[in-house]
Amino acid sequence: MPVELLTDEERDHRQKYILDELAAAPPLPFGETLLPFFHSCKGKVFRSILSSACLKTSICDVFTEDIVYLFYGKPAYRISGDIPTKDRSRYPVCFIINTIDEDNISRIFPFDTGALSASVFEDICGDETNPLKYEFGNTISDIEKFVSYFYGSQKNYFFTSPQKNPDDLNPLAYELAHVLTMIRDASDSKWDSRGYTIETQYKADFMIAPGNIRAIILPSSFLNDPNVIEFLHTNSIEPVEYHIEKTNSQSATDILLNETRRYLGENGLI
C-alpha cells in the first residue's frame, strides 16, 4: 500500500521526537571512516547491470517513485527463494559502493521500509506502518548522527552493538524506542537484519565508473565470464567471490554478511 503523507501534527512529532533527539547526539570519534553503501540484486539482474554499467531506478510500490535502494554499512536486502537450487541467476550479487552523490539521496530510514509497510515489524511497531514517521534525513551527516546516537561508533553499528538503553530515551520518543527495541532484540523474530540496517533511498540511476564501486561480492563461477572480468578491470572493482552449493538461495544473504565482515576488516574499515 502506498504511503500516506504525514499530517502537520505527525511532522511536528517527527521533528520533536526524532530529528531533534538525533541532532543532540555527540560527534562520532575523530577520524572515523564512513562505511560503504551496499546494493544487492539477483544474478539475473546483475547481467543487465553489467550491460548498462548502471544501477537503475525502479518503481517502488510503497513510495510510488523510481528509487535505487541502498543499505548503509552492510547488506540487508533478502533475496527471495526457499527451494534448494544451483541456478546462478537466483543467487545474490552485492555491490560495495565507495561513494554516492549526496544530492540524490531522497530519504533515509532506520530499517527496511518495505518490511515495515508489509507489517513484518508489527510485533515491535504495532500498526505504525507508515515509513515516513521514521524518516530521519537525507544527508550523510544524518546517518552519522543516527550512528552516533544509538551506537557511538561505526564499528558498533556494523556489529549491532547499541550503546543506548531504553531508559536513555525521551519517554515520548516512541519511534526511537521501536528502533532501539529492534536493534536490541535477540528473540526468534520473523524479521532479520532488515530491522536494524539503515536504508538509503537514491532517486537517480547510479552510474558505475572507476572509483565509485569498491568491490562486488558474487558467485565465483561468474568470474569465468570474460565480460565480468573486463567490467571489473575497467571500473577498478575488486571481486569478492563465494562458492555456490545446492541450497536455499535466500541463505546466501548470510554469506554476503560474512564476506562483508571479512572485507571491511581486511581493509581497516571496522
Side-chain angles (χ1 to χ4, degrees), residues 117-130:
S117 298
S119 298
V120 174
F121 306 145
E122 64 182 345
D123 290 350
I124 306 298
C125 301
D127 60 359
E128 295 288 359
T129 58
N130 186 341

Side-chain angles (χ1 to χ4, degrees), residues 53 206-213 234-237:
F206 183 87
M207 305 306 298
I208 298 173
N212 62 11
I213 302 287
T234 299
N235 294 291
S236 303
I237 299 172

Side-chain angles (χ1 to χ4, degrees), residues 12 72 90 135 212 248 251:
D12 179 64
Y72 175 71
R90 303 185 193 182
E135 180 187 356
N212 62 11
N248 178 339
S251 67

Side-chain angles (χ1 to χ4, degrees), residues 1-182:
M1 173 180 286
V3 297
E4 296 182 3
L5 296 179
L6 300 185
T7 65
D8 289 344
E9 181 182 61
E10 288 170 335
R11 284 196 296 271
D12 179 64
H13 287 170
R14 183 178 63 188
Q15 180 65 49
K16 185 180 297 184
Y17 296 114
I18 296 182
L19 303 183
D20 290 350
E21 292 286 320
L22 295 181
L28 286 167
F30 179 76
E32 274 220 334
T33 303
L34 191 71
L35 296 176
F37 290 85
F38 290 77
H39 176 80
S40 301
C41 64
K42 287 185 178 181
K44 64 179 182 180
V45 177
F46 174 64
R47 193 167 65 181
S48 297
I49 295 172
L50 196 69
S51 300
S52 63
C54 176
L55 305 180
K56 293 184 178 180
T57 61
S58 59
I59 190 67
C60 169
D61 293 336
V62 176
F63 290 89
T64 61
E65 296 175 7
D66 288 327
I67 295 171
V68 177
Y69 279 96
L70 308 176
F71 284 95
Y72 175 71
K74 48 191 170 182
Y77 175 68
R78 286 268 156 181
I79 299 297
S80 61
D82 55 8
I83 299 174
T85 180
K86 290 195 76 170
D87 181 354
R88 290 185 290 270
S89 71
R90 303 185 193 182
Y91 278 79
V93 172
C94 183
F95 292 78
I96 303 179
I97 300 171
N98 195 41
T99 180
I100 64 175
D101 181 357
E102 189 174 55
D103 290 340
N104 283 323
I105 298 176
S106 55
R107 306 179 190 91
I108 302 172
F109 297 90
F111 40 54
D112 185 322
T113 54
L116 176 73
S117 298
S119 298
V120 174
F121 306 145
E122 64 182 345
D123 290 350
I124 306 298
C125 301
D127 60 359
E128 295 288 359
T129 58
N130 186 341
L132 293 178
K133 293 184 178 181
Y134 295 87
E135 180 187 356
F136 66 87
N138 61 356
T139 70
I140 300 299
S141 176
D142 293 323
I143 292 176
E144 292 176 323
K145 290 174 184 175
F146 180 92
V147 170
S148 173
Y149 182 84
F150 282 106
Y151 298 95
S153 73
Q154 301 281 11
K155 184 174 182 178
N156 286 339
Y157 166 74
F158 182 84
F159 287 105
T160 321
S161 179
Q163 304 302 296
K164 279 276 190 215
N165 293 306
D167 290 342
D168 297 330
L169 304 183
N170 183 318
L172 296 185
Y174 308 131
E175 292 81 7
L176 293 182
H178 295 164
V179 172
L180 183 59
T181 299
M182 285 197 280

